Amino acid sequence: MPTGYQILDQEGLYYLTIKVVNSIDIFTRKRYRDIIIQSLKYCQKYKALEIYAYIVMSNHLHMVVRSSTGNLSDTIGAFKSYTSKAILHAIETSEERRKTWILPLFEHAATLHKRNTNYQLWTHENRAIVLLSNKFITQKINYIHKNPVKAGIVEKPEDYIYSSARNYAGFEGLIDVNVATFKWITKN
């Protein structure tokens, strides 16, 4: 069922939120966060995904992105499909202690939607908001970068390595991003 947050302008710049079903904190494990990072890099290189800001939190991702080929929905769909399979495979084949309760939750989520087979990692909906002004872009990038500070994970946004805040502060990040026109740095 459409939520009103659809990607209508395939060439537009979007603020996206992608959530794990049942708000399961899957990304508390580095190996799963790294799957996300590697997949985003792949999408940059082979699917023309332009990333302006991103963050991987415990159970969701925020991004400011666009597609230089005008195919953002397909790119995000491929990203979600691949990462879902890779993360579920990693859970099934690893010594993940939480798999006895996580996999049944993903399995139950799959039964609620006819287009799933065994498991569902991501919610079907993406919160997609088109960004039309510099003020709105700046607001969303700042929101993304302040997420781990508000969650009490780090003191300064640029200290959280699974975020583009490092890029905006002039440090090396895990992903090369298209830095917007303002610089991010926390003043002491």
Side-chain angles (χ1 to χ4, degrees), residues 48-63:
L49 183 67
E50 295 177 6
I51 302 173
Y52 293 85
Y54 75 93
I55 193 159
V56 181
M57 295 298 289
S58 66
N59 59 16
H60 66 281
L61 317 173
H62 293 297
M63 298 184 283

PDB file of all heavy atoms in Angstrom, residues 48-63:
ATOM      1  N   ALA A  48      25.242   4.260 -10.488  1.00  0.00           N
ATOM      2  CA  ALA A  48      25.161   5.717 -10.598  1.00  0.00           C
ATOM      3  C   ALA A  48      24.449   6.380  -9.418  1.00  0.00           C
ATOM      4  O   ALA A  48      23.791   7.394  -9.566  1.00  0.00           O
ATOM      5  CB  ALA A  48      24.482   6.117 -11.910  1.00  0.00           C
ATOM      6  N   LEU A  49      24.604   5.794  -8.218  1.00  0.00           N
ATOM      7  CA  LEU A  49      24.024   6.397  -7.020  1.00  0.00           C
ATOM      8  C   LEU A  49      24.949   7.501  -6.524  1.00  0.00           C
ATOM      9  O   LEU A  49      26.134   7.269  -6.285  1.00  0.00           O
ATOM     10  CB  LEU A  49      23.831   5.347  -5.921  1.00  0.00           C
ATOM     11  CG  LEU A  49      23.166   5.858  -4.643  1.00  0.00           C
ATOM     12  CD1 LEU A  49      21.708   6.252  -4.918  1.00  0.00           C
ATOM     13  CD2 LEU A  49      23.229   4.802  -3.548  1.00  0.00           C
ATOM     14  N   GLU A  50      24.401   8.683  -6.399  1.00  0.00           N
ATOM     15  CA  GLU A  50      25.145   9.817  -5.849  1.00  0.00           C
ATOM     16  C   GLU A  50      24.730   9.970  -4.397  1.00  0.00           C
ATOM     17  O   GLU A  50      23.557  10.188  -4.099  1.00  0.00           O
ATOM     18  CB  GLU A  50      24.828  11.093  -6.619  1.00  0.00           C
ATOM     19  CG  GLU A  50      25.282  11.052  -8.065  1.00  0.00           C
ATOM     20  CD  GLU A  50      24.892  12.297  -8.836  1.00  0.00           C
ATOM     21  OE1 GLU A  50      24.362  13.258  -8.231  1.00  0.00           O
ATOM     22  OE2 GLU A  50      25.107  12.307 -10.058  1.00  0.00           O
ATOM     23  N   ILE A  51      25.701   9.842  -3.499  1.00  0.00           N
ATOM     24  CA  ILE A  51      25.427   9.935  -2.062  1.00  0.00           C
ATOM     25  C   ILE A  51      25.964  11.262  -1.554  1.00  0.00           C
ATOM     26  O   ILE A  51      27.151  11.553  -1.691  1.00  0.00           O
ATOM     27  CB  ILE A  51      26.073   8.757  -1.295  1.00  0.00           C
ATOM     28  CG1 ILE A  51      25.555   7.422  -1.836  1.00  0.00           C
ATOM     29  CG2 ILE A  51      25.810   8.885   0.207  1.00  0.00           C
ATOM     30  CD1 ILE A  51      26.264   6.204  -1.265  1.00  0.00           C
ATOM     31  N   TYR A  52      25.078  12.043  -0.941  1.00  0.00           N
ATOM     32  CA  TYR A  52      25.451  13.335  -0.370  1.00  0.00           C
ATOM     33  C   TYR A  52      25.575  13.255   1.146  1.00  0.00           C
ATOM     34  O   TYR A  52      26.329  14.016   1.746  1.00  0.00           O
ATOM     35  CB  TYR A  52      24.443  14.413  -0.780  1.00  0.00           C
ATOM     36  CG  TYR A  52      24.508  14.696  -2.257  1.00  0.00           C
ATOM     37  CD1 TYR A  52      23.803  13.921  -3.167  1.00  0.00           C
ATOM     38  CD2 TYR A  52      25.320  15.711  -2.747  1.00  0.00           C
ATOM     39  CE1 TYR A  52      23.899  14.148  -4.531  1.00  0.00           C
ATOM     40  CE2 TYR A  52      25.420  15.947  -4.112  1.00  0.00           C
ATOM     41  CZ  TYR A  52      24.702  15.157  -4.992  1.00  0.00           C
ATOM     42  OH  TYR A  52      24.811  15.382  -6.344  1.00  0.00           O
ATOM     43  N   ALA A  53      24.837  12.353   1.756  1.00  0.00           N
ATOM     44  CA  ALA A  53      24.921  12.132   3.200  1.00  0.00           C
ATOM     45  C   ALA A  53      24.323  10.762   3.493  1.00  0.00           C
ATOM     46  O   ALA A  53      23.442  10.290   2.772  1.00  0.00           O
ATOM     47  CB  ALA A  53      24.166  13.214   3.966  1.00  0.00           C
ATOM     48  N   TYR A  54      24.822  10.132   4.566  1.00  0.00           N
ATOM     49  CA  TYR A  54      24.281   8.833   4.967  1.00  0.00           C
ATOM     50  C   TYR A  54      24.613   8.583   6.425  1.00  0.00           C
ATOM     51  O   TYR A  54      25.525   9.204   6.998  1.00  0.00           O
ATOM     52  CB  TYR A  54      24.861   7.693   4.118  1.00  0.00           C
ATOM     53  CG  TYR A  54      26.282   7.353   4.493  1.00  0.00           C
ATOM     54  CD1 TYR A  54      26.567   6.358   5.424  1.00  0.00           C
ATOM     55  CD2 TYR A  54      27.343   8.062   3.949  1.00  0.00           C
ATOM     56  CE1 TYR A  54      27.874   6.087   5.801  1.00  0.00           C
ATOM     57  CE2 TYR A  54      28.647   7.788   4.311  1.00  0.00           C
ATOM     58  CZ  TYR A  54      28.906   6.808   5.246  1.00  0.00           C
ATOM     59  OH  TYR A  54      30.193   6.555   5.622  1.00  0.00           O
ATOM     60  N   ILE A  55      23.870   7.679   7.008  1.00  0.00           N
ATOM     61  CA  ILE A  55      24.183   7.165   8.340  1.00  0.00           C
ATOM     62  C   ILE A  55      23.561   5.784   8.475  1.00  0.00           C
ATOM     63  O   ILE A  55      22.465   5.542   7.962  1.00  0.00           O
ATOM     64  CB  ILE A  55      23.704   8.103   9.468  1.00  0.00           C
ATOM     65  CG1 ILE A  55      24.330   7.679  10.794  1.00  0.00           C
ATOM     66  CG2 ILE A  55      22.182   8.141   9.569  1.00  0.00           C
ATOM     67  CD1 ILE A  55      24.339   8.777  11.832  1.00  0.00           C
ATOM     68  N   VAL A  56      24.291   4.892   9.131  1.00  0.00           N
ATOM     69  CA  VAL A  56      23.779   3.565   9.458  1.00  0.00           C
ATOM     70  C   VAL A  56      23.574   3.557  10.964  1.00  0.00           C
ATOM     71  O   VAL A  56      24.543   3.597  11.728  1.00  0.00           O
ATOM     72  CB  VAL A  56      24.764   2.444   9.053  1.00  0.00           C
ATOM     73  CG1 VAL A  56      24.183   1.074   9.396  1.00  0.00           C
ATOM     74  CG2 VAL A  56      25.125   2.538   7.581  1.00  0.00           C
ATOM     75  N   MET A  57      22.322   3.524  11.394  1.00  0.00           N
ATOM     76  CA  MET A  57      21.995   3.447  12.818  1.00  0.00           C
ATOM     77  C   MET A  57      21.681   1.986  13.155  1.00  0.00           C
ATOM     78  O   MET A  57      21.822   1.109  12.319  1.00  0.00           O
ATOM     79  CB  MET A  57      20.836   4.386  13.143  1.00  0.00           C
ATOM     80  CG  MET A  57      21.177   5.855  12.951  1.00  0.00           C
ATOM     81  SD  MET A  57      22.506   6.460  14.025  1.00  0.00           S
ATOM     82  CE  MET A  57      21.702   6.467  15.619  1.00  0.00           C
ATOM     83  N   SER A  58      21.235   1.701  14.347  1.00  0.00           N
ATOM     84  CA  SER A  58      21.062   0.315  14.788  1.00  0.00           C
ATOM     85  C   SER A  58      19.969  -0.439  14.028  1.00  0.00           C
ATOM     86  O   SER A  58      20.074  -1.646  13.837  1.00  0.00           O
ATOM     87  CB  SER A  58      20.772   0.262  16.287  1.00  0.00           C
ATOM     88  OG  SER A  58      19.526   0.863  16.572  1.00  0.00           O
ATOM     89  N   ASN A  59      18.942   0.272  13.566  1.00  0.00           N
ATOM     90  CA  ASN A  59      17.835  -0.418  12.886  1.00  0.00           C
ATOM     91  C   ASN A  59      17.295   0.335  11.672  1.00  0.00           C
ATOM     92  O   ASN A  59      16.199   0.039  11.213  1.00  0.00           O
ATOM     93  CB  ASN A  59      16.700  -0.709  13.867  1.00  0.00           C
ATOM     94  CG  ASN A  59      16.144   0.546  14.502  1.00  0.00           C
ATOM     95  OD1 ASN A  59      16.369   1.654  14.031  1.00  0.00           O
ATOM     96  ND2 ASN A  59      15.409   0.378  15.583  1.00  0.00           N
ATOM     97  N   HIS A  60      18.041   1.305  11.196  1.00  0.00           N
ATOM     98  CA  HIS A  60      17.605   2.058  10.020  1.00  0.00           C
ATOM     99  C   HIS A  60      18.777   2.810   9.403  1.00  0.00           C
ATOM    100  O   HIS A  60      19.835   2.939  10.014  1.00  0.00           O
ATOM    101  CB  HIS A  60      16.473   3.033  10.379  1.00  0.00           C
ATOM    102  CG  HIS A  60      16.884   4.141  11.297  1.00  0.00           C
ATOM    103  ND1 HIS A  60      17.017   3.969  12.658  1.00  0.00           N
ATOM    104  CD2 HIS A  60      17.198   5.432  11.045  1.00  0.00           C
ATOM    105  CE1 HIS A  60      17.390   5.118  13.205  1.00  0.00           C
ATOM    106  NE2 HIS A  60      17.511   6.018  12.253  1.00  0.00           N
ATOM    107  N   LEU A  61      18.540   3.275   8.177  1.00  0.00           N
ATOM    108  CA  LEU A  61      19.506   4.097   7.456  1.00  0.00           C
ATOM    109  C   LEU A  61      18.826   5.396   7.069  1.00  0.00           C
ATOM    110  O   LEU A  61      17.626   5.407   6.758  1.00  0.00           O
ATOM    111  CB  LEU A  61      19.948   3.437   6.147  1.00  0.00           C
ATOM    112  CG  LEU A  61      20.274   1.976   6.091  1.00  0.00           C
ATOM    113  CD1 LEU A  61      20.509   1.563   4.646  1.00  0.00           C
ATOM    114  CD2 LEU A  61      21.485   1.688   6.914  1.00  0.00           C
ATOM    115  N   HIS A  62      19.581   6.463   7.052  1.00  0.00           N
ATOM    116  CA  HIS A  62      19.141   7.723   6.458  1.00  0.00           C
ATOM    117  C   HIS A  62      20.145   8.056   5.372  1.00  0.00           C
ATOM    118  O   HIS A  62      21.353   7.850   5.553  1.00  0.00           O
ATOM    119  CB  HIS A  62      19.142   8.877   7.458  1.00  0.00           C
ATOM    120  CG  HIS A  62      18.147   8.774   8.557  1.00  0.00           C
ATOM    121  ND1 HIS A  62      16.788   8.773   8.346  1.00  0.00           N
ATOM    122  CD2 HIS A  62      18.315   8.680   9.895  1.00  0.00           C
ATOM    123  CE1 HIS A  62      16.170   8.695   9.504  1.00  0.00           C
ATOM    124  NE2 HIS A  62      17.073   8.635  10.468  1.00  0.00           N
ATOM    125  N   MET A  63      19.658   8.599   4.265  1.00  0.00           N
ATOM    126  CA  MET A  63      20.544   9.010   3.179  1.00  0.00           C
ATOM    127  C   MET A  63      19.970  10.222   2.467  1.00  0.00           C
ATOM    128  O   MET A  63      18.759  10.379   2.403  1.00  0.00           O
ATOM    129  CB  MET A  63      20.689   7.883   2.141  1.00  0.00           C
ATOM    130  CG  MET A  63      21.287   6.612   2.657  1.00  0.00           C
ATOM    131  SD  MET A  63      21.521   5.374   1.356  1.00  0.00           S
ATOM    132  CE  MET A  63      19.865   4.758   1.136  1.00  0.00           C
TER     133      MET A  63
END
